[in-house]
Amino acid sequence: MPLQGEYLGMSVAIPDVDRPNQEFYTHCGQGVLHLQSCVKCTLLRYPTTTACPWCAESEYVWTPVSGKGTLYSYGEVHHAIQPTFQQFTPYLILLVELDEQRDRPNRFDGLRINGNLADASGEMAKPELVATVGIGSRLRVVFKSIGDGMAIPLWTLDTEIKQEAPWRYPDN
Amino acid sequence: MNAEIDATSEKFLRGKYAIVGVGETAYTRGSGTTTRALGTYAVRRAVEDAGLGMDDIDGMLSYSGNDSIPSTAVAGDLGIRLNFYMDVMGGGSSTEALIGIAMGVIEAGMCKTVVIFRSMNGYSQIRIGGTGRGSGASNLSGDGLFGRAYGQSSAAQAFAQTFMRHMYDYGTTPEQIAHVKAIHSEHASNNPKAYYKHRVTVDDVLSSRMIVKPLHLLDCCVETDNATAIVVTRMDRARDCKHMPATILSVVGRCCKPRIDNHYQAGPISTVAGHYAKEILWPNAGVGPDDIDLTGSYDAFTFTTMLQLEDYGFCEKGDGGEYVSSGIMRLGGARPNNTSGGHLCEGYTHGMNMVIENVRQLRGEIDDSCPTDANGKRQHTYDYSSGGCRQVRDPEITANLGWAMPGTGSALVMAKGER
Ligand SMILES: [Zn+2]
């Protein structure tokens, strides 16, 4: 059966032939971020792919990861294109570098994950929270249920640690 | 340079092919006509500019994102019988890549002379920025789950992370980058064809509204309706054409970073495809950045011009902000960039107008407002003040740096006349 859900008014449909994405979002629905790990070279990868980008092996196993990372870069959207997102501006499009596999397999490589900044309950972040996050911020994954046992991963400020001042775009 | 490539001897097809004709329609917002008509006009002008007849053309290439008209329609309307044609998917960086393909198919004996065109109602029909297509609510599946689900659908939204990281890695400032728009607007003020002819300042850029930080409105290119075309042929035929040939020294097509579908996973994201493409471009051309008199570094955004000039070696890695704000890129500077005003000011054509501009620069026949003599030949004043000249003094070699996205680029080196 295709998995079907809805997120922010956008319908989600993942057909049966797209097994890796069905599994990715189902793991998120169970509350733990999992990535594909190559059975041959053991490297993790993101987003889902049909073979290992480093050794071309097709077989993989799902491996749980910490869901913690550092903000590697971001864009701050003030002019939304998709109507759904107009209510959330300014919103952040994050590139979060996971703690796992940094600088592997090559220097400057990493597991960098796209997402939005959210509050601890997975709602899109309010402007006050957006203003506190920048490159270097420590983030943790949160999940927002989208139905059919699936959830979408988002990122929120890790409040269990003391945050260093992040780098932010120099506003005038 | 890659030590395995000998840059001293003639490599591959260096100097054996040329661009002999260029043509375009007006850059408008509201062409009032079809992409079929626009494409037909541009192709006819380019063929006429070459001094050729329609029966001299037997190859055709075009690129689009399902927003244009195929070669069959344009060739049919102009009575051109083709021995080869192909219409490919692609936006920025397609021009240079298709020039390479044209050389290849002619070299293979498949045809003799190829016209390449790009036709788009990029403002009135399908806007690349995303407001014209694909912006509504639709199913999230496949790759959309990792992008559109997060409000990441336009080019600005997709590239912002790369631009921001460059600021973080190298201290590049908004003021430095804003110079790209200010300089290109100076050039456009001397280009009667340009959609935006008024000059803007660095402050104008910085005070324009934010689109996607770090991109202000004026860091983003214009969207326009237009068609552009060029004619590529072998040097033995180029000699007989109307104008001095713009001789192709080297071409790179759609050179990629590792993991091209998800380039942000591999290497520093503040490095772009030019880092790899330069290892092909310069050795094959037999020249390096220091030999280039003017550049056409793709300006979908102010940042794209900077990133490419840096990664192709026009300055040290990380010094791109300094380079673009130094004045070197201005008319009258040591190496002007996008003298037409480029995508930021002249019009949006996915790169072809920047190649057309450099062809005309090499001919010494830039279409500015300088007076013409009794034979209709323009007498350039080299006065670059607003409304004045935009011809560079005696350019010998140009470089075009095409951008598709941070992970994909193309490039072209041309020289004045047969070498
Ligand atoms: Zn592997």
Side-chain angles (χ1 to χ4, degrees):
Chain A
M1 285 286 287
L3 294 179
Q4 292 181 316
E6 186 177 306
Y7 176 59
L8 302 179
M10 301 175 283
S11 60
V12 177
I14 309 180
D16 285 340
V17 289
D18 190 1
R19 188 169 56 91
N21 276 329
Q22 285 201 348
E23 292 169 349
F24 179 88
Y25 286 95
T26 300
H27 280 123
C28 290
Q30 292 158 1
V32 182
L33 188 64
H34 284 66
L35 296 182
Q36 290 166 296
S37 170
C38 174
V39 297
K40 195 163 144 201
C41 73
T42 75
L43 287 165
L44 299 164
R45 59 192 195 245
Y46 171 90
T48 52
T49 64
T50 56
C52 174
W54 298 283
C55 76
E57 168 61 44
S58 297
E59 293 300 314
Y60 60 89
V61 290
W62 287 103
T63 304
V65 292
S66 65
K68 291 196 171 183
T70 302
L71 188 57
Y72 181 80
S73 195
Y74 69 98
E76 186 177 298
V77 180
H78 289 249
H79 177 92
I81 301 293
Q82 296 157 258
T84 296
F85 284 88
Q86 285 166 5
Q87 62 189 302
F88 300 120
T89 58
Y91 68 89
L92 298 185
I93 301 174
L94 306 173
L95 195 56
V96 182
E97 188 165 74
L98 291 190
D99 292 344
E100 289 88 354
Q101 210 168 288
R102 193 173 288 173
D103 283 326
R104 288 184 59 214
N106 304 296
R107 196 169 171 227
F108 300 120
D109 290 353
L111 292 167
R112 297 171 191 148
I113 303 198
N114 249 349
N116 293 131
L117 186 70
D119 65 19
S121 65
E123 300 297 327
M124 290 289 284
K126 297 277 188 296
E128 307 81 67
L129 183 57
V130 166
T132 65
V133 170
I135 294 177
S137 288
R138 290 289 299 165
L139 302 171
R140 68 176 175 87
V141 72
V142 289
F143 298 101
K144 181 72 181 169
S145 175
I146 57 175
D148 233 354
M150 298 184 292
I152 189 165
L154 300 141
W155 299 85
T156 196
L157 215 48
D158 186 349
T159 51
E160 288 176 12
I161 55 144
K162 185 174 172 342
Q163 295 270 349
E164 308 271 329
W167 180 94
R168 284 184 55 78
Y169 176 86
D171 280 298
N172 298 324
Chain B
M1 285 186 188
N2 184 334
E4 291 173 18
I5 302 175
D6 173 11
T8 59
S9 61
E10 300 258 319
K11 302 305 292 184
F12 306 105
L13 300 174
R14 185 195 300 170
K16 294 186 175 141
Y17 282 81
I19 296 176
V20 294
V22 295
E24 70 271 269
T25 66
Y27 298 108
T28 67
R29 287 187 152 187
S31 66
T33 192
T34 59
T35 53
R36 179 170 184 149
L38 292 173
T40 300
Y41 300 154
V43 167
R44 186 171 62 208
R45 283 174 190 161
V47 174
E48 287 171 357
D49 178 69
L52 295 172
M54 295 305 152
D55 53 0
D56 292 315
I57 305 301
D58 65 346
M60 196 171 282
L61 287 161
S62 81
Y63 59 97
S64 79
N66 274 335
D67 59 353
S68 191
I69 192 77
S71 295
T72 47
V74 170
D77 283 3
L78 292 170
I80 296 171
R81 191 193 68 77
L82 295 171
N83 289 315
F84 165 82
Y85 74 92
M86 192 161 281
D87 303 294
V88 305
M89 291 290 292
S93 82
S94 298
T95 312
E96 296 85 357
L98 292 190
I99 289 167
I101 291 173
M103 292 163 63
V105 297
I106 297 169
E107 194 68 16
M110 295 165 69
C111 61
K112 292 185 167 68
T113 300
V114 176
V115 180
I116 306 171
F117 76 88
R118 172 73 173 119
S119 181
M120 56 200 290
N121 276 322
Y123 181 79
S124 64
Q125 286 189 309
I126 296 176
R127 297 180 65 175
I128 302 298
T131 48
R133 187 184 58 173
S135 58
S138 58
N139 270 358
L140 295 176
S141 65
D143 293 342
L145 290 162
F146 302 96
R148 288 174 49 78
Y150 300 122
Q152 187 179 37
S153 58
S154 70
Q157 291 164 354
F159 303 163
Q161 296 163 340
T162 295
F163 303 158
M164 196 73 99
R165 183 73 191 192
H166 193 279
M167 299 179 72
Y168 172 83
D169 283 344
Y170 300 110
T172 313
T173 68
E175 291 77 11
Q176 288 176 328
I177 296 300
H179 278 83
V180 177
K181 171 70 176 186
I183 290 167
H184 291 183
S185 78
E186 290 176 11
H187 299 169
S189 76
N190 298 3
N191 179 2
K193 303 188 303 292
Y195 184 77
Y196 284 128
K197 297 184 190 65
H198 61 283
R199 295 187 169 197
V200 302
T201 65
V202 166
D203 281 345
D204 290 335
V205 177
L206 297 178
S207 59
S208 63
R209 71 189 168 92
M210 198 58 84
I211 302 298
V212 183
K213 213 175 266 183
L215 299 169
H216 306 81
L217 178 66
L218 295 185
D219 285 302
C220 306
C221 69
V222 59
E223 292 173 309
T224 50
D225 299 345
N226 33 250
T228 42
I230 60 177
V231 181
V232 177
T233 196
R234 207 168 59 199
M235 190 55 75
D236 56 336
R237 295 184 197 95
R239 281 180 204 123
D240 299 330
C241 289
K242 195 161 86 185
H243 297 281
M244 180 189 299
T247 303
I248 297 164
L249 298 186
S250 177
V251 63
V252 182
R254 296 247 154 156
C255 179
C256 300
K257 288 180 69 179
R259 289 199 69 179
I260 185 54
D261 59 336
N262 301 295
H263 74 91
Y264 54 89
Q265 302 294 342
I269 66 170
S270 50
T271 292
V272 300
H275 174 76
Y276 298 87
K278 73 171 182 292
E279 301 294 337
I280 301 169
L281 185 72
W282 302 128
N284 286 1
V287 300
D290 290 346
D291 301 309
I292 302 301
D293 298 316
L294 71 151
T295 51
S297 185
Y298 198 97
D299 55 349
F301 302 98
T302 48
F303 277 86
T304 58
T305 293
M306 180 277 294
L307 283 165
Q308 296 199 114
L309 287 166
E310 185 179 287
D311 277 332
Y312 278 95
F314 287 93
C315 60
E316 293 294 314
K317 183 65 193 170
D319 290 348
E322 200 174 303
Y323 182 93
V324 300
S325 58
S326 68
I328 194 170
M329 298 197 325
R330 302 172 71 168
L331 278 166
R335 190 180 300 118
N337 185 68
N338 285 355
T339 55
S340 71
H343 287 347
L344 287 167
C345 303
E346 184 185 44
Y348 197 59
T349 72
H350 280 127
M352 199 177 288
N353 58 337
M354 299 170 198
V355 173
I356 290 173
E357 178 76 359
N358 284 356
V359 169
R360 291 197 177 114
Q361 284 284 6
L362 289 170
R363 292 176 179 174
E365 294 177 10
I366 278 294
D367 48 344
D368 54 23
S369 303
C370 290
T372 50
D373 66 11
N375 301 321
K377 183 159 175 61
R378 222 169 275 281
Q379 301 300 300
H380 289 291
T381 62
Y382 305 103
D383 171 2
Y384 300 131
S385 54
S386 185
C389 184
R390 72 172 206 285
Q391 176 66 51
V392 174
R393 276 187 198 273
D394 304 319
E396 293 283 333
I397 308 181
T398 65
N400 279 89
L401 314 175
W403 165 285
M405 50 180 158
T408 300
S410 298
L412 171 72
V413 176
M414 294 185 289
K416 176 183 184 175
E418 195 172 350
R419 296 169 73 85

